[in-house]
Amino acid sequence: MEASAGLVAGSHNRNELVVIRRDGDPGPKPLRQPNGRVCQICGDDVGLAPGGEPFVACNECAFPVCRDCYEYERREGTQNCPQCKTRYKRLKGCARVPGDEEEDGVDDLENEFNWDGNESQYGAESLHGHMTYGRGGDLNGVQQPFQLNPNVPLLTNGQMMDDIPPEQHALVPSFMGGGGKRIHPLPYADPSLPVQPRSMDPSKDLAAYGYGSVAWKERMESWKQKQERMHQMRNDGGGEDGGDDDLPLMDESRQPLSRKIPIPSSQINPYRMIIIIRLVVLGFFFHYRVMHPVNDAFALWLISVICEIWFAMSWILDQFPKWFPIERETYLDRLSLRFDKEGQPSQLAPIDFFVSTVDPLKEPPLVTANTVLSILAVDYPVDKVSCYVSDDGAAMLTFEALSETSEFAKKWVPFCKRFNIEPRAPEWYFQQKIDYLKDKVAASFVGERRAMKREYEEFKVRINALVAKAQKVPEEGWTMQDGTPWPGNNVRDHPGMIQVFLGQSGGLDCEGNELPRLVYVSREKRPGYNHHKKAGAMNALVRVSAVLSNAPYLLNLDCDHYINNSKAIKEAMCFMMDPLLGKKVCYVQFPQRFDGIDRHDRYANRNVVFFDINMKGLDGIQGPIYVGTGCVFRRQALYGYDAPKTKKPPSRTCNCWPKWCFCCCCCGNRKHKKKTTKPKTEKKKRLLFFKKEENQSPAYALGEIDEGAPGAENEKAGIVNQQKLEKKFGQSSVFVTSTLLENGGTLKSASPASLLKEAIHVISCGYEDKTDWGKEIGWIYGSVTEDILTGFKMHCHGWRSIYCVPKRPAFKGSAPLNLSDRLHQVLRWALGSIEIFFSNHCPLWYGYGGGLKFLERFSYINSIVYPWTSIPLLAYCTLPAICLLTGKFITPELNNVASLWFMSLFICIFATSILEMRWSGVGIDDWWRNEQFWVIGGVSSHLFAVFQGLLKVIAGVDTSFTVTSKGGDDEEFSELYTFKWTTLLIPPTTLLLLNFIGVVAGVSNAINNGYESWGPLFGKLFFAFWVIVHLYPFLKGLVGRQNRTPTIVIVWSILLASIFSLLWVRIDPFLAKNDGPLLEECGLDCN
């Protein structure tokens, strides 16, 4: 896919395709030929196997060893792999050695004992194939002569075979053989060439090859002693991690790429104990509450008991998924040793980045540009990175801004990689208040940084000019530079658009190096279609990327979330590419971190409790939930496939039973086996096309199959299953074929024009009709919080997710500072949970019998039930004011036993929170802000979400999606004090007023009635102050700055004074109240 193709716009349904060329784009640049793999024993090339693949001696660790060293090690050495110490298995074409008797699976009778072979079969042509492997051919194109030296002595790995006579040390030619599983499925030019042995110069000393010298022997002896000490430490149980830090370097590349770090038992065990104690105390507490009603305030008592029971159930749903918290550690050096060795072609998996944006006026193009620039400059091989930007608003402003971004990236990306700067988003890099000279030894850094800052300032001027120009839309609509009308002038009715700005075959940086692929995508929109908002846009990106690049992994980011840690992708690959753990991982979720938040985090924007406590707890069960951004996906998991199941070891049978027992068992099951044989065969035939092979060929058309040809029946069965796949994935043969490639990759035979046409087809508005998109595949539809549904479906398929928390935050974004914007954001999240609650995918009843674990289901139930807590929370926060105004209370007079249970419950609540903060590292200020905003959001946003959700389900009244503003004023934290009136502010404001009035009324009544009335008043005052303290950040947001009191607050103050005056007159606080008989003056003078 070339970057010079221009903007491609079209509609598959209307059979339209328009290409708008760009001028001045450079042509494609030829790629370099990859280098071959080198034998780690002799230094020669490893060579090719008969199938054209690299020769692999050890199927366990794939340690690079050529065939001659492999043959010699099996015949004269320890018969073990030098790296993993696994015994070498006999490959086809190799002679048998002692110990091969118990191995089966290699049927090679011709060469079983004739290990000398026939040297004449190896000619100059096969030698050429061996010597030019990985070098792209000989320099002069002439084959080199080859002379076999059978008398050259050889050495095994690290040991001198002193007991073998010198005449027996010979270079034995290897035979062609494969056997074993495929480790490196890389295509090569000529796979037909056989593998040839290496040769050594007899005139050179063996020390020239690194073997036979005294220093080499001493190193090997010290290595053996170190290995023995390490094994002794392991056997003695020393070290919790098994001594990973002391492993030798040669074993480093086969070590796990990550490890779990459990919470220390001294921190987690007391935490679990206090949870159990709190459950017991809760049981006794509710026993007392239910058995001791308040007769003179029965309604208040009943409401309070119902609310408390709901709070207890909500606490259980939130608490028990945190029972097994863990932390994780990654090893980037091991990842590099295994997949990204210096001087060799990188074997890291490709990855596609998704950036979504809708409205460029609410999501400024400069913010999106910084996100894209941080992606293009990520520390990852450029040929394995593709960035897709979804413009769901079809705005020409976004298109022009992305064009400017691609030009600036040609200067910004090499600057970032040359000086290894962090972060790689220019706006935030130039804003950070650090010493940029620290650890920068290059003399040219200061000058180049200043020049780059000037370049960025000019880039900002150009972007801001585009924004200013876009404020007023021309009557005839926007036109492009060549006079062509912009295809997206009508936002609700426009064709699909694709523009490749940068790519592997075009768009070089200022130093002549390749840049990652950058693609602009705007899906087709027509009236009468449900486009499913952000979830539909993400699914369109999944299909476009599968056609153009088809990377096996995806990463989605909001337009305001830039990459703060350039190695974040490698952190995720430590889990995804781990040979033991990676196959079952559907996604790696990173925590969300934010910039530009005030120091006190008044409205809990950071969500520290959720990201540092709840998510770590879920990681110990089946993995964290998907939070919508900063997540690396496995593409196959998004396609709705089940997770691979772990093979169970074969069950052992006892040989002590008599033979007739086995005969009875066999006879009893014989009939059942006969019945099940045929369906299994048919099932295999039906699923023949579903197998995900590494080199899956494209599907055939029905007319291309010759019915008389052998295997035509199986091919027809494949066609039938292809039709089933097209009903599932859509009517695109290219995309359906890509879904079967587990390791990614695109069709090499397809032309760029055909790929572009197919890409336009898969983003057409009617492509998803009558398919499983949004139901079982991709981002799941049915809720504005599509992230919860998508992660839930993957966990139901048996996948697990990983929570990765690197030391340097992987991604950073912006959060709404304003109170109203924050409440609207929480309202959207809560409304999505209510929609899931009423949908078919509700965790309360969906997914049983699948792969979802019990405690993981608890967390998902809690994620959709929490908005309903707003109803009992609102009632509970109203009770203190009612109690103070009426003189009643929700509990009877407490005795000693009841006081004990109340005090025990309060102590358990505080102890649970303290121990939770202890093992998680969360500060008390973050914990307290979370508690405060739980009440603020509960009595405002969550309450409105419940009513809006009920209206949508019962009356069909839909609510519009409001994009949270991503931009603020230039003044720091100026948005924090901006007051925006919304109906969400009414319930918490009313609660504050009621509780203030109740406190004044209660204190006035106590002052008037004397000392005895102060005792019952303290419980009511504590209750009221609990509400007021939790709503205090809301009160500060309502008041604003000291010199900017809003008019609405003045109105509420007048209303408050009026209500207070009426209540004051009604209460008559200066008149004593007696419950005794009414005394009247008799008129007699008693004196």
Side-chain angles (χ1 to χ4, degrees), residues 510-556:
C510 60
E511 297 179 356
N513 299 320
E514 301 285 348
L515 286 172
R517 178 178 294 169
L518 176 61
V519 183
Y520 169 87
V521 179
S522 181
R523 57 180 173 149
E524 181 186 15
K525 286 189 176 182
R526 302 297 180 188
Y529 287 90
N530 187 358
H531 301 289
H532 301 289
K533 301 175 182 177
K534 180 182 176 182
M538 299 305 297
N539 285 336
L541 288 183
V542 171
R543 297 191 294 270
V544 169
S545 62
V547 172
L548 299 182
S549 55
N550 196 32
Y553 302 105
L554 316 172
L555 188 149
N556 81 293

Side-chain angles (χ1 to χ4, degrees), residues 521-594:
V521 179
S522 181
R523 57 180 173 149
E524 181 186 15
K525 286 189 176 182
R526 302 297 180 188
Y529 287 90
N530 187 358
H531 301 289
H532 301 289
K533 301 175 182 177
K534 180 182 176 182
M538 299 305 297
N539 285 336
L541 288 183
V542 171
R543 297 191 294 270
V544 169
S545 62
V547 172
L548 299 182
S549 55
N550 196 32
Y553 302 105
L554 316 172
L555 188 149
N556 81 293
L557 290 172
D558 289 341
C559 65
D560 62 322
H561 274 69
Y562 65 90
I563 299 180
N564 183 64
N565 183 354
S566 61
K567 298 184 183 296
I569 314 305
K570 293 183 178 180
E571 297 271 358
M573 290 303 161
C574 286
F575 302 105
M576 287 294 193
M577 301 185 69
D578 192 284
L580 300 178
L581 176 68
K583 292 296 182 181
K584 287 190 174 182
V585 177
C586 58
Y587 60 83
V588 176
Q589 178 66 62
F590 291 88
Q592 291 186 17
R593 306 300 187 204
F594 301 98

